[in-house]
mmCIF file of all heavy atoms in Angstrom:
data_model
loop_
_atom_site.group_PDB
_atom_site.id
_atom_site.type_symbol
_atom_site.label_atom_id
_atom_site.label_comp_id
_atom_site.label_asym_id
_atom_site.label_seq_id
_atom_site.Cartn_x
_atom_site.Cartn_y
_atom_site.Cartn_z
ATOM 1 N N ARG A 12 143.479 130.110 125.280
ATOM 2 C CA ARG A 12 144.224 131.013 124.439
ATOM 3 C C ARG A 12 145.649 130.556 124.286
ATOM 4 O O ARG A 12 146.150 129.780 125.115
ATOM 5 C CB ARG A 12 144.198 132.432 125.040
ATOM 6 C CG ARG A 12 144.851 132.568 126.397
ATOM 7 C CD ARG A 12 144.738 133.943 126.992
ATOM 8 N NE ARG A 12 145.354 134.958 126.146
ATOM 9 C CZ ARG A 12 145.330 136.264 126.435
ATOM 10 N NH1 ARG A 12 144.727 136.686 127.519
ATOM 11 N NH2 ARG A 12 145.918 137.145 125.645
ATOM 12 N N ALA A 13 146.277 131.016 123.239
ATOM 13 C CA ALA A 13 147.685 130.632 122.947
ATOM 14 C C ALA A 13 148.619 131.389 123.912
ATOM 15 O O ALA A 13 148.775 132.606 123.756
ATOM 16 C CB ALA A 13 147.996 130.904 121.511
ATOM 17 N N LYS A 14 149.222 130.668 124.832
ATOM 18 C CA LYS A 14 150.147 131.345 125.733
ATOM 19 C C LYS A 14 151.292 132.043 124.995
ATOM 20 O O LYS A 14 151.747 133.087 125.386
ATOM 21 C CB LYS A 14 150.683 130.350 126.757
ATOM 22 C CG LYS A 14 149.708 129.833 127.778
ATOM 23 C CD LYS A 14 150.396 128.898 128.767
ATOM 24 C CE LYS A 14 149.445 128.421 129.813
ATOM 25 N NZ LYS A 14 150.111 127.573 130.821
ATOM 26 N N GLY A 15 151.769 131.399 123.934
ATOM 27 C CA GLY A 15 152.888 131.982 123.200
ATOM 28 C C GLY A 15 152.606 133.345 122.570
ATOM 29 O O GLY A 15 153.524 134.058 122.301
ATOM 30 N N LEU A 16 151.352 133.690 122.414
ATOM 31 C CA LEU A 16 150.962 134.946 121.805
ATOM 32 C C LEU A 16 150.684 136.048 122.853
ATOM 33 O O LEU A 16 150.432 137.222 122.493
ATOM 34 C CB LEU A 16 149.762 134.813 120.912
ATOM 35 C CG LEU A 16 149.962 133.822 119.729
ATOM 36 C CD1 LEU A 16 148.719 133.773 118.867
ATOM 37 C CD2 LEU A 16 151.166 134.218 118.872
ATOM 38 N N ILE A 17 150.749 135.711 124.133
ATOM 39 C CA ILE A 17 150.570 136.712 125.187
ATOM 40 C C ILE A 17 151.712 137.656 125.177
ATOM 41 O O ILE A 17 152.896 137.259 125.033
ATOM 42 C CB ILE A 17 150.443 136.017 126.544
ATOM 43 C CG1 ILE A 17 149.190 135.197 126.670
ATOM 44 C CG2 ILE A 17 150.517 137.063 127.681
ATOM 45 C CD1 ILE A 17 149.112 134.311 127.884
ATOM 46 N N GLU A 18 151.441 138.934 125.243
ATOM 47 C CA GLU A 18 152.503 139.954 125.220
ATOM 48 C C GLU A 18 152.843 140.404 126.648
ATOM 49 O O GLU A 18 151.959 140.710 127.444
ATOM 50 C CB GLU A 18 152.100 141.186 124.401
ATOM 51 C CG GLU A 18 152.115 140.906 122.909
ATOM 52 C CD GLU A 18 152.053 142.170 122.084
ATOM 53 O OE1 GLU A 18 152.239 143.272 122.670
ATOM 54 O OE2 GLU A 18 151.890 142.074 120.880
ATOM 55 N N VAL A 19 154.131 140.386 126.947
ATOM 56 C CA VAL A 19 154.636 140.899 128.220
ATOM 57 C C VAL A 19 155.705 141.969 127.866
ATOM 58 O O VAL A 19 156.693 141.648 127.153
ATOM 59 C CB VAL A 19 155.244 139.783 129.071
ATOM 60 C CG1 VAL A 19 155.964 140.389 130.283
ATOM 61 C CG2 VAL A 19 154.146 138.825 129.546
ATOM 62 N N GLU A 20 155.548 143.157 128.345
ATOM 63 C CA GLU A 20 156.466 144.229 128.072
ATOM 64 C C GLU A 20 156.725 144.387 126.569
ATOM 65 O O GLU A 20 157.829 144.590 126.094
ATOM 66 C CB GLU A 20 157.802 144.016 128.813
ATOM 67 C CG GLU A 20 157.604 143.932 130.310
ATOM 68 C CD GLU A 20 158.930 143.587 131.059
ATOM 69 O OE1 GLU A 20 159.901 143.183 130.380
ATOM 70 O OE2 GLU A 20 158.966 143.673 132.264
ATOM 71 N N GLY A 21 155.613 144.299 125.820
ATOM 72 C CA GLY A 21 155.652 144.504 124.380
ATOM 73 C C GLY A 21 156.224 143.393 123.551
ATOM 74 O O GLY A 21 156.471 143.548 122.333
ATOM 75 N N GLU A 22 156.443 142.236 124.143
ATOM 76 C CA GLU A 22 157.038 141.103 123.471
ATOM 77 C C GLU A 22 156.239 139.832 123.682
ATOM 78 O O GLU A 22 155.872 139.514 124.837
ATOM 79 C CB GLU A 22 158.460 140.885 123.990
ATOM 80 C CG GLU A 22 159.280 139.889 123.195
ATOM 81 C CD GLU A 22 160.710 139.789 123.767
ATOM 82 O OE1 GLU A 22 160.922 140.090 124.967
ATOM 83 O OE2 GLU A 22 161.620 139.451 122.969
ATOM 84 N N ARG A 23 155.887 139.152 122.574
ATOM 85 C CA ARG A 23 155.138 137.898 122.718
ATOM 86 C C ARG A 23 155.996 136.840 123.452
ATOM 87 O O ARG A 23 157.221 136.846 123.265
ATOM 88 C CB ARG A 23 154.745 137.387 121.313
ATOM 89 C CG ARG A 23 153.611 138.188 120.683
ATOM 90 C CD ARG A 23 153.339 137.698 119.272
ATOM 91 N NE ARG A 23 152.136 138.273 118.741
ATOM 92 C CZ ARG A 23 151.728 138.081 117.505
ATOM 93 N NH1 ARG A 23 152.445 137.360 116.662
ATOM 94 N NH2 ARG A 23 150.597 138.637 117.066
ATOM 95 N N LEU A 24 155.379 136.015 124.222
ATOM 96 C CA LEU A 24 156.107 135.018 124.972
ATOM 97 C C LEU A 24 156.895 134.064 124.088
ATOM 98 O O LEU A 24 157.971 133.638 124.484
ATOM 99 C CB LEU A 24 155.167 134.259 125.902
ATOM 100 C CG LEU A 24 154.557 135.024 127.087
ATOM 101 C CD1 LEU A 24 153.706 134.060 127.932
ATOM 102 C CD2 LEU A 24 155.627 135.657 127.915
ATOM 103 N N ILE A 25 156.397 133.748 122.934
ATOM 104 C CA ILE A 25 157.108 132.836 122.031
ATOM 105 C C ILE A 25 158.415 133.477 121.585
ATOM 106 O O ILE A 25 159.477 132.844 121.587
ATOM 107 C CB ILE A 25 156.276 132.409 120.823
ATOM 108 C CG1 ILE A 25 156.973 131.327 120.010
ATOM 109 C CG2 ILE A 25 155.880 133.566 119.936
ATOM 110 C CD1 ILE A 25 157.096 130.017 120.748
ATOM 111 N N GLN A 26 158.366 134.787 121.211
ATOM 112 C CA GLN A 26 159.613 135.478 120.827
ATOM 113 C C GLN A 26 160.549 135.668 122.013
ATOM 114 O O GLN A 26 161.769 135.606 121.882
ATOM 115 C CB GLN A 26 159.271 136.787 120.159
ATOM 116 C CG GLN A 26 158.976 136.700 118.682
ATOM 117 C CD GLN A 26 157.484 136.787 118.376
ATOM 118 O OE1 GLN A 26 156.709 137.138 119.256
ATOM 119 N NE2 GLN A 26 157.128 136.443 117.156
ATOM 120 N N ARG A 27 159.931 135.929 123.161
ATOM 121 C CA ARG A 27 160.725 136.147 124.391
ATOM 122 C C ARG A 27 161.498 134.869 124.747
ATOM 123 O O ARG A 27 162.691 134.941 125.060
ATOM 124 C CB ARG A 27 159.765 136.540 125.509
ATOM 125 C CG ARG A 27 160.431 137.086 126.777
ATOM 126 C CD ARG A 27 159.359 137.426 127.798
ATOM 127 N NE ARG A 27 159.854 138.107 128.923
ATOM 128 C CZ ARG A 27 159.903 139.425 129.100
ATOM 129 N NH1 ARG A 27 159.459 140.202 128.123
ATOM 130 N NH2 ARG A 27 160.391 139.980 130.184
ATOM 131 N N SER A 28 160.864 133.727 124.642
ATOM 132 C CA SER A 28 161.526 132.461 124.955
ATOM 133 C C SER A 28 162.685 132.204 124.016
ATOM 134 O O SER A 28 163.801 131.825 124.425
ATOM 135 C CB SER A 28 160.524 131.323 124.851
ATOM 136 O OG SER A 28 159.494 131.479 125.799
ATOM 137 N N LEU A 29 162.456 132.399 122.721
ATOM 138 C CA LEU A 29 163.500 132.164 121.720
ATOM 139 C C LEU A 29 164.642 133.156 121.892
ATOM 140 O O LEU A 29 165.800 132.778 121.737
ATOM 141 C CB LEU A 29 162.921 132.280 120.325
ATOM 142 C CG LEU A 29 161.888 131.200 119.974
ATOM 143 C CD1 LEU A 29 161.198 131.536 118.641
ATOM 144 C CD2 LEU A 29 162.542 129.811 119.859
ATOM 145 N N ARG A 30 164.331 134.383 122.243
ATOM 146 C CA ARG A 30 165.357 135.376 122.440
ATOM 147 C C ARG A 30 166.345 135.018 123.566
ATOM 148 O O ARG A 30 167.567 135.055 123.386
ATOM 149 C CB ARG A 30 164.780 136.754 122.674
ATOM 150 C CG ARG A 30 165.819 137.816 123.029
ATOM 151 C CD ARG A 30 165.204 139.209 123.184
ATOM 152 N NE ARG A 30 164.161 139.251 124.215
ATOM 153 C CZ ARG A 30 164.385 139.298 125.532
ATOM 154 N NH1 ARG A 30 165.656 139.274 125.997
ATOM 155 N NH2 ARG A 30 163.374 139.358 126.388
ATOM 156 N N VAL A 31 165.797 134.634 124.718
ATOM 157 C CA VAL A 31 166.682 134.355 125.849
ATOM 158 C C VAL A 31 167.460 133.078 125.592
ATOM 159 O O VAL A 31 168.625 132.944 126.031
ATOM 160 C CB VAL A 31 165.900 134.255 127.196
ATOM 161 C CG1 VAL A 31 165.310 135.612 127.535
ATOM 162 C CG2 VAL A 31 164.848 133.189 127.183
ATOM 163 N N LEU A 32 166.897 132.102 124.871
ATOM 164 C CA LEU A 32 167.651 130.923 124.526
ATOM 165 C C LEU A 32 168.841 131.280 123.631
ATOM 166 O O LEU A 32 169.957 130.811 123.813
ATOM 167 C CB LEU A 32 166.720 129.896 123.849
ATOM 168 C CG LEU A 32 165.816 129.160 124.766
ATOM 169 C CD1 LEU A 32 164.734 128.456 123.966
ATOM 170 C CD2 LEU A 32 166.536 128.132 125.630
ATOM 171 N N ARG A 33 168.590 132.110 122.623
ATOM 172 C CA ARG A 33 169.666 132.540 121.732
ATOM 173 C C ARG A 33 170.736 133.330 122.527
ATOM 174 O O ARG A 33 171.934 133.087 122.300
ATOM 175 C CB ARG A 33 169.124 133.399 120.597
ATOM 176 C CG ARG A 33 168.407 132.624 119.508
ATOM 177 C CD ARG A 33 168.208 133.468 118.274
ATOM 178 N NE ARG A 33 167.497 132.712 117.236
ATOM 179 C CZ ARG A 33 166.184 132.816 116.948
ATOM 180 N NH1 ARG A 33 165.435 133.619 117.680
ATOM 181 N NH2 ARG A 33 165.645 132.076 115.999
ATOM 182 N N GLU A 34 170.285 134.219 123.349
ATOM 183 C CA GLU A 34 171.223 135.031 124.122
ATOM 184 C C GLU A 34 172.114 134.175 125.010
ATOM 185 O O GLU A 34 173.259 134.588 125.353
ATOM 186 C CB GLU A 34 170.452 136.113 124.911
ATOM 187 C CG GLU A 34 169.821 137.191 124.092
ATOM 188 C CD GLU A 34 168.964 138.135 124.878
ATOM 189 O OE1 GLU A 34 168.737 137.850 126.090
ATOM 190 O OE2 GLU A 34 168.540 139.152 124.312
ATOM 191 N N ALA A 35 171.553 133.043 125.457
ATOM 192 C CA ALA A 35 172.369 132.170 126.346
ATOM 193 C C ALA A 35 173.286 131.243 125.541
ATOM 194 O O ALA A 35 174.014 130.483 126.172
ATOM 195 C CB ALA A 35 171.375 131.338 127.183
ATOM 196 N N GLY A 36 173.268 131.325 124.220
ATOM 197 C CA GLY A 36 174.189 130.544 123.409
ATOM 198 C C GLY A 36 173.631 129.226 122.940
ATOM 199 O O GLY A 36 174.449 128.368 122.495
ATOM 200 N N VAL A 37 172.337 129.015 122.974
ATOM 201 C CA VAL A 37 171.754 127.753 122.447
ATOM 202 C C VAL A 37 171.900 127.742 120.938
ATOM 203 O O VAL A 37 171.613 128.709 120.250
ATOM 204 C CB VAL A 37 170.303 127.638 122.872
ATOM 205 C CG1 VAL A 37 169.653 126.411 122.268
ATOM 206 C CG2 VAL A 37 170.237 127.550 124.413
ATOM 207 N N ASP A 38 172.353 126.592 120.407
ATOM 208 C CA ASP A 38 172.724 126.487 119.005
ATOM 209 C C ASP A 38 171.567 126.122 118.066
ATOM 210 O O ASP A 38 171.439 126.658 116.942
ATOM 211 C CB ASP A 38 173.819 125.440 118.837
ATOM 212 C CG ASP A 38 175.062 125.807 119.625
ATOM 213 O OD1 ASP A 38 175.833 126.630 119.169
ATOM 214 O OD2 ASP A 38 175.224 125.280 120.746
ATOM 215 N N GLU A 39 170.698 125.216 118.472
ATOM 216 C CA GLU A 39 169.567 124.788 117.664
ATOM 217 C C GLU A 39 168.279 125.059 118.447
ATOM 218 O O GLU A 39 168.228 124.783 119.663
ATOM 219 C CB GLU A 39 169.626 123.293 117.323
ATOM 220 C CG GLU A 39 170.801 122.942 116.435
ATOM 221 C CD GLU A 39 170.769 121.431 116.107
ATOM 222 O OE1 GLU A 39 169.654 120.844 116.132
ATOM 223 O OE2 GLU A 39 171.796 120.903 115.734
ATOM 224 N N LEU A 40 167.261 125.521 117.727
ATOM 225 C CA LEU A 40 165.990 125.856 118.367
ATOM 226 C C LEU A 40 164.859 125.110 117.706
ATOM 227 O O LEU A 40 164.715 125.145 116.505
ATOM 228 C CB LEU A 40 165.735 127.384 118.384
ATOM 229 C CG LEU A 40 166.722 128.192 119.224
ATOM 230 C CD1 LEU A 40 166.498 129.685 118.928
ATOM 231 C CD2 LEU A 40 166.518 127.917 120.693
ATOM 232 N N VAL A 41 164.028 124.512 118.536
ATOM 233 C CA VAL A 41 162.821 123.815 118.057
ATOM 234 C C VAL A 41 161.628 124.329 118.875
ATOM 235 O O VAL A 41 161.732 124.463 120.102
ATOM 236 C CB VAL A 41 162.965 122.260 118.253
ATOM 237 C CG1 VAL A 41 161.592 121.583 117.895
ATOM 238 C CG2 VAL A 41 164.074 121.753 117.389
ATOM 239 N N VAL A 42 160.541 124.600 118.169
ATOM 240 C CA VAL A 42 159.296 124.992 118.840
ATOM 241 C C VAL A 42 158.239 123.920 118.554
ATOM 242 O O VAL A 42 158.061 123.555 117.396
ATOM 243 C CB VAL A 42 158.775 126.359 118.356
ATOM 244 C CG1 VAL A 42 157.441 126.704 119.012
ATOM 245 C CG2 VAL A 42 159.771 127.456 118.650
ATOM 246 N N VAL A 43 157.627 123.417 119.604
ATOM 247 C CA VAL A 43 156.572 122.429 119.441
ATOM 248 C C VAL A 43 155.207 123.121 119.578
ATOM 249 O O VAL A 43 154.919 123.724 120.631
ATOM 250 C CB VAL A 43 156.679 121.303 120.509
ATOM 251 C CG1 VAL A 43 155.623 120.250 120.290
ATOM 252 C CG2 VAL A 43 158.066 120.671 120.484
ATOM 253 N N THR A 44 154.438 123.051 118.533
ATOM 254 C CA THR A 44 153.119 123.626 118.520
ATOM 255 C C THR A 44 152.047 122.528 118.466
ATOM 256 O O THR A 44 152.343 121.362 118.227
ATOM 257 C CB THR A 44 152.906 124.596 117.331
ATOM 258 O OG1 THR A 44 153.072 123.917 116.118
ATOM 259 C CG2 THR A 44 153.933 125.766 117.432
ATOM 260 N N GLY A 45 150.822 122.932 118.661
ATOM 261 C CA GLY A 45 149.687 121.972 118.604
ATOM 262 C C GLY A 45 148.437 122.761 118.452
ATOM 263 O O GLY A 45 148.002 123.126 117.367
#
């Protein structure tokens, strides 16, 4: 199964990862899929 689509506390892990990176001040974001 796609780990990124697992929901934790109502939020998919892919969105959760991107959110905390943005909140920490990361300027450019890349997601590698397969």
Side-chain angles (χ1 to χ4, degrees):
R12 63 183 299 179
K14 290 184 178 182
L16 300 182
I17 294 171
E18 287 195 10
V19 171
E20 298 175 351
E22 187 177 29
R23 287 175 169 175
L24 290 184
I25 188 67
Q26 275 103 13
R27 194 180 186 94
S28 299
L29 294 170
R30 174 176 58 78
V31 295
L32 286 165
R33 285 196 179 98
E34 290 174 352
V37 174
D38 300 280
E39 294 183 23
L40 293 171
V41 173
V42 176
V43 183
T44 61

